[in-house]
Amino acid sequence: MRARAVLDAATVEPLLAAAVAAPSIHNTQPWRFRVDPDSQVLEVHSMPGRTLPLTDPTHRAQYLSVGAAVFNLRLAAVHLGRRAEVRLLPDPHQPGLLAAVRLTDPLGMDEEHLDRGLHEAIARRHTSRMPFTGRPVPEPVVAEMAAAAQAAAARLHIPDIAGTRRLLRLTAAAEARNHAHPARTAETLAWINAPGANTPYGIPLTALGPSDAGRRIPMRDFTGPLRLVPRPAVWFERHVQLALLWTPHDRRDDWLRAGQALQYVLLTATAHGLRTSLLHQAMEWPDLRAATAPPHHKRCHPQMLIRFGYGPDGTGTPRGPGLPAPAAG
Ligand SMILES: Cc1cc2nc3c(=O)[nH]c(=O)nc-3n(C[C@H](O)[C@H](O)[C@H](O)COP(=O)(O)O)c2cc1C
């Protein structure tokens, strides 16, 4: 039996710092953490108040976000020389308890490979909503991103030119629906922060990118038709490089796995000097989400559309401390 590591403050601090650096929908950071003093298990809970009832009624995007944080936790544990045993949805009586992480010592052989540049990429990864250069990403790097998804029980589909156009069309259709939906626009806008806003949650106006003058890439317009801020139009890359992350099943634990896979892919890309941004709009409308599935794939549940390439870094967004969850019971 493996020795159980004690979760003292010196151990927990770097774990949480890594966890909260994960991407989350609208930077809602929908997680809370708690150390169970008896079992020395680090619990990852969802944060009930930080949901998006219209955009994410099933909480799928929330689970993806928490899954990404769990992957960072695992990497931080490996960086400390510890093996992280993760149980997803460990207690049916506590639906808000999404993962339980137990550190053991020493590091398992199977996880040593995880730290190769990936831990360092956690702090460097930012969503970049800027135009990329269009320089093609070498095939071996794309293959490594696909292998990362697969290692986390998901799959990465790299579309050809026609497939890329189809995915962009579906995303544009979703973006148009979001625009035409005042309540959704208001929900999104509530997570956009004006300059000087004193909150570590939500997206600062400065992190929002321009729109594509060529109208090829439907980057999400977080401020909607209200046009509270001018959104300059600039030319984005002509050859858009996309990857569709999907899972063979679509249950709550699959969403948590998809989030881990997403973060594994994003950090692999970051470690190779790539920038990434996410185009999630089509995933928020069931018919459009289903339509993004690659043809000829049975049992394929699309989870995220990832844009990748070379270009300027994102500006980064603030983070909250990852507040402790209340004790169970
Ligand atoms: C499930 C999910 C959906 C997201 N959807 C979008 C999106 O549609 N458009 C976008 O620009 N960013 C999207 N993001 C990125 C978040 O806005 C971003 O992660 C958050 O603001 C934190 O910023 P950072 O990634 O730079 O750390 C999404 C992130 C997640 C996890």
mmCIF file of all heavy atoms in Angstrom, residues 17 36 47 61 72 74 84 89 95 108 160 190 196 263-264 273 283 297 303 309:
data_model
loop_
_atom_site.group_PDB
_atom_site.id
_atom_site.type_symbol
_atom_site.label_atom_id
_atom_site.label_comp_id
_atom_site.label_asym_id
_atom_site.label_seq_id
_atom_site.Cartn_x
_atom_site.Cartn_y
_atom_site.Cartn_z
ATOM 1 N N ALA A 17 -2.406 27.023 -5.862
ATOM 2 C CA ALA A 17 -1.945 28.068 -6.794
ATOM 3 C C ALA A 17 -2.018 27.544 -8.226
ATOM 4 O O ALA A 17 -2.417 28.264 -9.148
ATOM 5 C CB ALA A 17 -0.529 28.496 -6.445
ATOM 6 N N ASP A 36 -9.747 17.420 3.972
ATOM 7 C CA ASP A 36 -10.385 16.637 5.029
ATOM 8 C C ASP A 36 -9.288 16.239 6.022
ATOM 9 O O ASP A 36 -8.384 15.472 5.664
ATOM 10 C CB ASP A 36 -11.043 15.399 4.414
ATOM 11 C CG ASP A 36 -11.778 14.575 5.472
ATOM 12 O OD1 ASP A 36 -11.313 14.555 6.636
ATOM 13 O OD2 ASP A 36 -12.793 13.953 5.139
ATOM 14 N N MET A 47 -18.682 25.414 -7.115
ATOM 15 C CA MET A 47 -19.077 26.640 -6.401
ATOM 16 C C MET A 47 -20.479 27.001 -6.864
ATOM 17 O O MET A 47 -20.659 27.470 -8.004
ATOM 18 C CB MET A 47 -18.069 27.728 -6.768
ATOM 19 C CG MET A 47 -18.259 29.023 -6.047
ATOM 20 S SD MET A 47 -17.721 28.867 -4.337
ATOM 21 C CE MET A 47 -18.110 30.497 -3.755
ATOM 22 N N ALA A 61 -20.033 22.986 -18.843
ATOM 23 C CA ALA A 61 -18.851 23.862 -18.952
ATOM 24 C C ALA A 61 -18.214 24.093 -17.581
ATOM 25 O O ALA A 61 -16.997 24.248 -17.469
ATOM 26 C CB ALA A 61 -19.248 25.201 -19.582
ATOM 27 N N ASN A 72 -4.354 20.522 -13.282
ATOM 28 C CA ASN A 72 -3.262 21.336 -12.731
ATOM 29 C C ASN A 72 -2.843 20.829 -11.353
ATOM 30 O O ASN A 72 -1.649 20.820 -11.023
ATOM 31 C CB ASN A 72 -3.699 22.806 -12.623
ATOM 32 C CG ASN A 72 -3.586 23.526 -13.955
ATOM 33 O OD1 ASN A 72 -3.279 22.908 -14.969
ATOM 34 N ND2 ASN A 72 -3.837 24.823 -13.950
ATOM 35 N N ARG A 74 -2.941 17.771 -10.325
ATOM 36 C CA ARG A 74 -2.142 16.553 -10.546
ATOM 37 C C ARG A 74 -0.718 16.916 -10.941
ATOM 38 O O ARG A 74 0.245 16.349 -10.441
ATOM 39 C CB ARG A 74 -2.786 15.696 -11.637
ATOM 40 C CG ARG A 74 -4.067 15.009 -11.191
ATOM 41 C CD ARG A 74 -4.712 14.285 -12.365
ATOM 42 N NE ARG A 74 -3.808 13.352 -13.026
ATOM 43 C CZ ARG A 74 -4.025 12.835 -14.230
ATOM 44 N NH1 ARG A 74 -5.111 13.159 -14.892
ATOM 45 N NH2 ARG A 74 -3.185 11.995 -14.760
ATOM 46 N N ALA A 84 -0.534 11.745 -7.479
ATOM 47 C CA ALA A 84 -1.879 12.183 -7.102
ATOM 48 C C ALA A 84 -2.891 11.123 -7.539
ATOM 49 O O ALA A 84 -2.981 10.804 -8.723
ATOM 50 C CB ALA A 84 -2.200 13.514 -7.763
ATOM 51 N N LEU A 89 -16.109 12.316 -8.686
ATOM 52 C CA LEU A 89 -17.452 12.134 -8.109
ATOM 53 C C LEU A 89 -17.434 11.012 -7.067
ATOM 54 O O LEU A 89 -18.142 10.002 -7.218
ATOM 55 C CB LEU A 89 -18.456 11.825 -9.234
ATOM 56 C CG LEU A 89 -18.463 12.828 -10.390
ATOM 57 C CD1 LEU A 89 -19.384 12.363 -11.506
ATOM 58 C CD2 LEU A 89 -18.885 14.218 -9.912
ATOM 59 N N PRO A 95 -23.278 15.645 -4.318
ATOM 60 C CA PRO A 95 -23.132 15.890 -5.763
ATOM 61 C C PRO A 95 -22.195 17.059 -6.072
ATOM 62 O O PRO A 95 -21.630 17.126 -7.158
ATOM 63 C CB PRO A 95 -24.568 16.200 -6.227
ATOM 64 C CG PRO A 95 -25.353 16.464 -4.989
ATOM 65 C CD PRO A 95 -24.667 15.781 -3.858
ATOM 66 N N GLY A 108 4.613 7.750 -9.044
ATOM 67 C CA GLY A 108 4.466 6.562 -9.884
ATOM 68 C C GLY A 108 5.180 6.756 -11.209
ATOM 69 O O GLY A 108 5.198 7.864 -11.741
ATOM 70 N N ASP A 160 -9.949 18.973 -41.611
ATOM 71 C CA ASP A 160 -9.303 19.481 -42.822
ATOM 72 C C ASP A 160 -9.914 20.855 -43.131
ATOM 73 O O ASP A 160 -10.701 21.390 -42.337
ATOM 74 C CB ASP A 160 -9.485 18.488 -43.983
ATOM 75 C CG ASP A 160 -10.961 18.235 -44.287
ATOM 76 O OD1 ASP A 160 -11.830 18.978 -43.766
ATOM 77 O OD2 ASP A 160 -11.267 17.280 -45.033
ATOM 78 N N ALA A 190 -22.415 40.230 -17.400
ATOM 79 C CA ALA A 190 -22.251 40.334 -15.946
ATOM 80 C C ALA A 190 -20.873 39.843 -15.503
ATOM 81 O O ALA A 190 -20.439 40.126 -14.382
ATOM 82 C CB ALA A 190 -23.348 39.526 -15.249
ATOM 83 N N GLY A 196 -10.476 48.868 -13.395
ATOM 84 C CA GLY A 196 -10.491 49.292 -11.992
ATOM 85 C C GLY A 196 -11.433 48.482 -11.124
ATOM 86 O O GLY A 196 -11.477 48.653 -9.906
ATOM 87 N N GLN A 263 -7.042 20.748 -20.519
ATOM 88 C CA GLN A 263 -5.890 21.411 -19.928
ATOM 89 C C GLN A 263 -4.581 20.726 -20.350
ATOM 90 O O GLN A 263 -3.571 21.399 -20.578
ATOM 91 C CB GLN A 263 -6.030 21.423 -18.395
ATOM 92 C CG GLN A 263 -4.941 22.181 -17.667
ATOM 93 C CD GLN A 263 -4.948 23.689 -17.961
ATOM 94 O OE1 GLN A 263 -5.666 24.175 -18.832
ATOM 95 N NE2 GLN A 263 -4.124 24.420 -17.252
ATOM 96 N N TYR A 264 -4.621 19.417 -20.491
ATOM 97 C CA TYR A 264 -3.429 18.680 -20.948
ATOM 98 C C TYR A 264 -3.053 19.165 -22.361
ATOM 99 O O TYR A 264 -1.899 19.447 -22.669
ATOM 100 C CB TYR A 264 -3.733 17.174 -20.933
ATOM 101 C CG TYR A 264 -2.533 16.250 -20.878
ATOM 102 C CD1 TYR A 264 -2.706 14.900 -20.581
ATOM 103 C CD2 TYR A 264 -1.243 16.691 -21.130
ATOM 104 C CE1 TYR A 264 -1.623 14.022 -20.523
ATOM 105 C CE2 TYR A 264 -0.151 15.816 -21.078
ATOM 106 C CZ TYR A 264 -0.356 14.486 -20.776
ATOM 107 O OH TYR A 264 0.712 13.632 -20.730
ATOM 108 N N GLY A 273 5.315 26.617 -27.271
ATOM 109 C CA GLY A 273 5.345 28.011 -27.723
ATOM 110 C C GLY A 273 4.111 28.433 -28.495
ATOM 111 O O GLY A 273 4.106 29.492 -29.132
ATOM 112 N N MET A 283 -21.006 24.865 -28.499
ATOM 113 C CA MET A 283 -21.252 23.827 -27.482
ATOM 114 C C MET A 283 -22.436 24.211 -26.590
ATOM 115 O O MET A 283 -22.903 23.410 -25.797
ATOM 116 C CB MET A 283 -20.002 23.623 -26.606
ATOM 117 C CG MET A 283 -18.736 23.334 -27.379
ATOM 118 S SD MET A 283 -18.805 21.758 -28.239
ATOM 119 C CE MET A 283 -18.169 22.220 -29.841
ATOM 120 N N HIS A 297 -18.346 9.518 -37.101
ATOM 121 C CA HIS A 297 -17.957 9.137 -35.748
ATOM 122 C C HIS A 297 -19.217 8.805 -34.965
ATOM 123 O O HIS A 297 -20.022 9.693 -34.710
ATOM 124 C CB HIS A 297 -17.223 10.277 -35.042
ATOM 125 C CG HIS A 297 -15.765 10.294 -35.298
ATOM 126 N ND1 HIS A 297 -15.229 10.731 -36.484
ATOM 127 C CD2 HIS A 297 -14.717 9.920 -34.519
ATOM 128 C CE1 HIS A 297 -13.917 10.630 -36.420
ATOM 129 N NE2 HIS A 297 -13.574 10.143 -35.249
ATOM 130 N N GLN A 303 -16.898 18.504 -26.983
ATOM 131 C CA GLN A 303 -16.798 19.217 -25.700
ATOM 132 C C GLN A 303 -16.209 20.607 -25.840
ATOM 133 O O GLN A 303 -16.568 21.497 -25.073
ATOM 134 C CB GLN A 303 -15.930 18.403 -24.708
ATOM 135 C CG GLN A 303 -16.418 16.987 -24.444
ATOM 136 C CD GLN A 303 -17.726 16.912 -23.673
ATOM 137 O OE1 GLN A 303 -18.249 17.923 -23.189
ATOM 138 N NE2 GLN A 303 -18.288 15.716 -23.550
ATOM 139 N N GLY A 309 -2.150 28.262 -32.552
ATOM 140 C CA GLY A 309 -1.222 28.809 -33.540
ATOM 141 C C GLY A 309 -0.146 29.632 -32.857
ATOM 142 O O GLY A 309 -0.013 29.610 -31.633
#
